[in-house]
Amino acid sequence: MSAFDSVRRHGRPLATALLASSLLLGGLLATPAAAAGTTAVRVNQVGYLPDGPKRATVVTSSTQALTWQLRNASGTVVASGSTVPRGADAPSGQSVQLADFSSYQATGTGYVLSVDGRDSDPFDIRANLYDGLRSDAMAFFYHQRSGISIDASLAGSAYARPAGHLGVSPNKGDTSVPCQSGVCDYTQDVRGGWYDAGDQGKYVVNGGISTWLVVNSFERAKRAGTDAALGDSTLRVPERGNGVPDVLDEARWELEFLMRMQVPAGKPYAGMAFHKIHDAAWTAIPTRPDQDAQPRELHRPSTAATLNLAATAAQCARVFRPYESAFADRCLAAARRAWTAAQANPAMYAPDSDGTGGGAYGDSQVTDEFYWAAAELYATTGESTYRDAVTSSSWHTSAGAFTPYGFGWADTAALGRLTLATVPNGLPASDLARIRSSVVSAADSHLSTMAGQGYAVPVPKDGYFWGSNSEAADNAVVMAVAGELTGDARYRTAVLESMDYLLGRNAIGQSYVTGYGERSSHNQHHRFWAHQLDASLPNPPAGSLAGGPNSALQDPVAQEKLAGCAPAACYIDDIGSYSTNEVAINWNAPLAWLAAYAADRPAGDGGGPQPTASCVVTYKVDNAWSDGFTATVTVKNTGTSAVDGWRLAWSYPGGQRVTSAWNATVTQSGADVVARNVDWNRAIAPGATASFGVQGSLSGSNPSPTGFALNGGACD
């Protein structure tokens, strides 16, 4: 949740009038929300899995079925059929039809779906479609790290920066942070962790749900037997090669911070967790973390923060045990202390009024956090004390643990249910069956919501509030777990269609994930990914999820530019629109979870995880002139396994823009460039190379990029 948002996670949006005008094929919403050049044929702009659903939504006023054709990169028609008229779609305010080409399962790049003479954006069909996003969505957290320098070899030269908030001038913290007046009379070392969103605050309650999702993504993959894809040396983190799965290394960075937020022994409220730490006043935009000169402050402990610590530390103790037993012991000790402290102080609420310099994250209902923490402690220890806390909670049988509006930082009972449904425990069989049934029932409700909409979004028509994209992603997580529990393929289909929504099949034809799709968000609200305000700063890195449509229009840019928008179209890719276009750790966490899930594929289908670090890239400028250049890029597979399908990413440090390419499909968002194989060079045998060329424009110098990543892993 954005630091600017002072309402609870499930606050209802303001009423917004729907569009009443008839929409012509190829026409756009009669609001300023539609992206420039948007086509009426809305697809997942990245692509589709060969064995997954392949559906598109067509904006049209026609009431008759239309003919669709699927063409490959050569322009050959490979499949055809008729659309299904659906008529008015309330959330988007559009009249739509559906095209379903799921029966086509061949692979390739550059497909285009044509409906009644109108073309979609090009897209791929391939088994490794989500491998890059699995890596990039998780890399978001490394980019957001506080208290460590960000390495160009891991993040790309455009994103390298000195460590922020380590007490090095001009920083005032976070190694010795005082409390707000009247809260405490000592200082605390609270370095590390992840910056929360577009601001540079760090919040325990938002860090809690984000950490839980990151760790849970690994726990789920381990149950599925696909955890190798998140294992050691698979992600771009400095800890790679230490024998610990990289996704857990990333989670540990935040877990260490969360434990540093615990009130020390011998102090008032020992064992409780401080609610948050951030600047005394709102940090100016743009400001890089190491350049922030404001004093930092600890805010009063809260019961909600303390229970977030108890829950995530208990989960840590369970999942880290096979890899780092000493750290697991530390986590469990911190979880027990936090639980005891929360029981002794069950009503210390963070006030909604504490919103100067950072989000308030107020929450005066913490029975759900008690349930979640008890569930994690019980699943980890099996102890009767925690079992009794689970079974005596009203949330254990409440129908409200899952809602149409998803779970979130202020509504965490669903997390406890998901853990109890999937982690072996000693609950009676009847109790376990009821818990699992509640997950499946919630997933069925989301399926029903999707079936009633033209864009198949797991969001009710009145659910487009602040962070609606995370609502869609969180609900997709529930559907994925239901699929795991039942083996019913309908749920995986729905999860993949939820990804379609995030990646371009939506009311405005916009991919909300930076670097993925023909028109992807790249001006998200952020303090130092602020290229729109300062050309020397980068856009957000690939894999960053925008908050999404918010019909309440809670910022000046949205109020000026989006008046009259239909709920699902209330979005603008502008750095000033913090209520529709901010990034946040609790939004990227479910995206990373889903990307890892979508990337799962059984061994033998070209699919185990591809080697991600065994590569060398050569970038050679062949010719340059005053305002342009050509270059050859060669990637060598130095590993022992063949690479079947590749995605090479880099950033241009001098503002260069790719204007054309050959022997690869190349896209660019801001400074970030992604090159994908064409059909004939998709396989790179061990020791072999693949080369392609680019032509670009420039203004000024032409420095060569230095950091390359193949299928998500850094190359030499």
Side-chain angles (χ1 to χ4, degrees):
M1 181 63 67
S2 161
F4 288 92
D5 190 14
S6 62
V7 299
R8 277 181 60 81
R9 171 65 169 80
H10 294 149
R12 295 293 185 268
L14 300 176
T16 308
L18 298 179
L19 298 177
S21 58
S22 174
L23 297 165
L24 300 176
L25 179 63
L28 304 179
L29 284 167
T31 81
T38 300
T39 169
V41 184
R42 310 284 168 79
V43 297
N44 180 327
Q45 295 173 17
V46 177
Y48 300 88
L49 296 174
D51 61 348
K54 303 176 193 69
R55 299 188 180 101
T57 300
V58 185
V59 182
T60 175
S61 61
S62 174
T63 59
Q64 302 299 314
L66 303 170
T67 299
W68 62 260
Q69 292 183 325
L70 180 67
R71 302 195 307 269
N72 63 17
S74 300
T76 302
V77 175
V78 295
S80 62
S82 297
T83 60
V84 176
R86 286 194 61 101
D89 176 59
S92 68
Q94 299 168 343
S95 179
V96 301
Q97 298 194 20
L98 300 183
D100 190 336
F101 53 105
S102 301
S103 61
Y104 184 81
Q105 297 193 354
T107 60
T109 62
Y111 287 99
V112 171
L113 185 70
S114 179
V115 182
D116 202 27
R118 306 284 181 153
D119 289 347
S120 74
D121 293 311
F123 55 86
D124 297 350
I125 302 175
R126 50 189 170 89
N128 64 351
L129 187 79
Y130 287 105
D131 287 14
L133 183 57
R134 174 177 56 197
S135 175
D136 286 343
M138 189 62 69
F140 175 88
F141 297 95
Y142 174 61
H143 285 280
Q144 287 283 93
R145 283 192 191 187
S146 174
I148 187 174
S149 59
I150 303 304
D151 190 336
S153 68
L154 298 173
S157 57
Y159 299 97
R161 58 177 173 82
H165 298 105
L166 278 182
V168 177
S169 181
N171 284 173
K172 304 294 192 297
D174 293 346
T175 55
S176 182
V177 181
C179 289
Q180 282 186 311
S181 176
V183 171
C184 74
D185 59 0
Y186 54 91
T187 62
Q188 187 97 335
D189 178 359
V190 291
R191 68 187 186 279
W194 301 320
Y195 296 121
D196 180 68
D199 65 316
Q200 294 169 17
K202 299 184 293 187
Y203 308 84
V204 172
V205 295
N206 213 37
I209 189 173
S210 303
T211 303
W212 185 89
L213 281 161
V214 169
V215 175
N216 186 263
S217 71
F218 178 79
E219 199 167 20
R220 181 215 62 83
K222 197 166 187 178
R223 292 193 303 270
T226 57
D227 52 300
L230 297 172
D232 192 23
S233 297
T234 60
L235 301 176
R236 302 190 297 276
V237 294
E239 298 85 1
R240 56 188 294 129
N242 65 353
V244 177
D246 286 350
V247 68
L248 298 186
D249 283 324
E250 189 56 70
R252 179 170 180 168
W253 192 259
E254 178 72 4
L255 282 161
E256 293 275 14
F257 159 73
L258 294 175
M259 289 191 285
R260 290 188 186 107
M261 291 289 279
Q262 193 163 31
V263 177
K267 300 294 185 181
Y269 303 111
M272 295 287 283
F274 292 103
H275 194 69
K276 58 179 182 170
I277 177 259
H278 53 67
D279 285 356
W282 283 108
T283 316
I285 182 170
T287 300
R288 210 170 61 187
D290 60 291
Q291 298 169 344
D292 178 16
Q294 285 209 52
R296 307 275 275 180
E297 295 178 334
L298 280 170
H299 294 245
R300 56 172 294 195
S302 73
T303 306
T306 304
L307 291 167
N308 270 260
L309 172 58
T312 54
Q315 179 197 43
C316 161
R318 179 174 70 247
V319 181
F320 278 76
R321 179 72 58 191
Y323 310 101
E324 294 186 283
S325 60
F327 183 61
D329 288 342
R330 276 183 56 207
C331 284
L332 185 55
R336 292 185 188 277
R337 288 197 306 273
W339 174 261
T340 300
Q343 285 189 308
N345 302 278
M348 289 187 66
Y349 304 134
D352 284 334
S353 58
D354 188 15
T356 300
Y361 284 97
D363 188 0
S364 59
Q365 177 182 276
V366 297
T367 54
D368 53 329
E369 280 85 3
F370 270 108
Y371 178 66
W372 173 35
E376 297 296 341
L377 280 158
Y378 176 55
T380 296
T381 68
E383 295 174 8
S384 60
T385 297
Y386 304 121
R387 181 196 62 215
D388 292 346
V390 167
T391 57
S392 64
S393 171
S394 62
W395 288 104
H396 195 50
T397 56
S398 171
F402 295 102
T403 79
Y405 306 96
F407 53 80
W409 63 265
D411 300 276
T412 59
L415 308 185
R417 288 272 184 93
L418 293 173
T419 291
L420 293 171
T422 55
V423 178
N425 59 70
L427 290 175
S430 59
D431 212 11
L432 185 58
R434 181 185 50 76
I435 290 168
R436 290 178 171 173
S437 178
S438 74
V439 177
V440 175
S441 294
D444 287 343
S445 176
H446 300 325
L447 286 178
S448 178
T449 297
M450 296 176 73
Q453 296 185 9
Y455 288 98
V457 192
V459 172
K461 64 182 180 181
D462 65 343
Y464 289 91
F465 44 70
W466 198 308
S468 63
N469 281 345
S470 72
E471 177 190 1
D474 290 339
N475 285 343
V477 167
V478 174
M479 293 188 290
V481 175
E484 176 186 346
L485 295 175
T486 64
D488 192 330
R490 292 181 305 148
Y491 300 110
R492 180 170 174 81
T493 294
V495 173
L496 295 175
E497 286 208 87
S498 300
M499 294 294 282
D500 294 345
Y501 167 74
L502 296 175
L503 293 168
R505 183 191 167 198
N506 53 52
I508 59 173
Q510 170 101 16
S511 169
Y512 294 115
V513 182
T514 305
Y516 285 83
E518 294 298 303
R519 281 172 304 281
S520 65
S521 300
H522 57 278
N523 287 316
Q524 291 99 318
H525 182 83
H526 197 271
R527 288 301 186 278
F528 50 95
W529 302 331
H531 184 78
Q532 188 178 355
L533 298 179
D534 182 342
S536 70
L537 296 173
N539 292 115
S544 301
L545 178 64
N550 175 9
S551 61
L553 305 183
Q554 292 169 281
D555 65 72
V557 172
Q559 291 162 8
E560 177 187 355
K561 302 291 187 180
L562 300 176
C565 56
C570 294
Y571 170 84
I572 184 168
D573 185 25
D574 189 292
I575 196 170
S577 184
Y578 47 80
S579 73
T580 76
N581 200 37
E582 193 165 9
V583 294
I585 55 175
N586 64 314
W587 301 343
N588 247 75
L591 176 68
W593 197 108
L594 293 172
Y597 172 89
D600 276 359
R601 53 194 191 275
D605 69 345
Q610 293 291 346
T612 57
S614 301
C615 48
V616 174
V617 173
T618 303
Y619 180 95
K620 179 178 180 291
V621 176
D622 301 310
N623 192 18
W625 53 97
S626 61
D627 59 355
F629 67 96
T630 60
T632 299
V633 185
T634 302
V635 56
K636 181 177 182 180
N637 178 6
T638 57
T640 58
S641 301
V643 174
D644 183 19
W646 50 266
R647 174 185 183 276
L648 188 69
W650 71 90
S651 296
Y652 272 123
Q656 302 99 315
R657 300 291 303 180
V658 173
T659 55
S660 62
W662 48 97
N663 298 335
T665 301
V666 179
T667 58
Q668 184 170 1
S669 177
D672 299 325
V673 182
V674 174
R676 294 180 173 86
N677 64 271
V678 291
D679 284 342
W680 64 265
N681 66 2
R682 66 175 289 117
I684 311 177
T689 63
S691 295
F692 61 93
V694 297
Q695 180 167 322
S697 61
L698 54 86
S699 57
S701 61
N702 188 26
S704 296
T706 56
F708 293 85
L710 177 66
N711 290 345
C715 295
D716 296 330

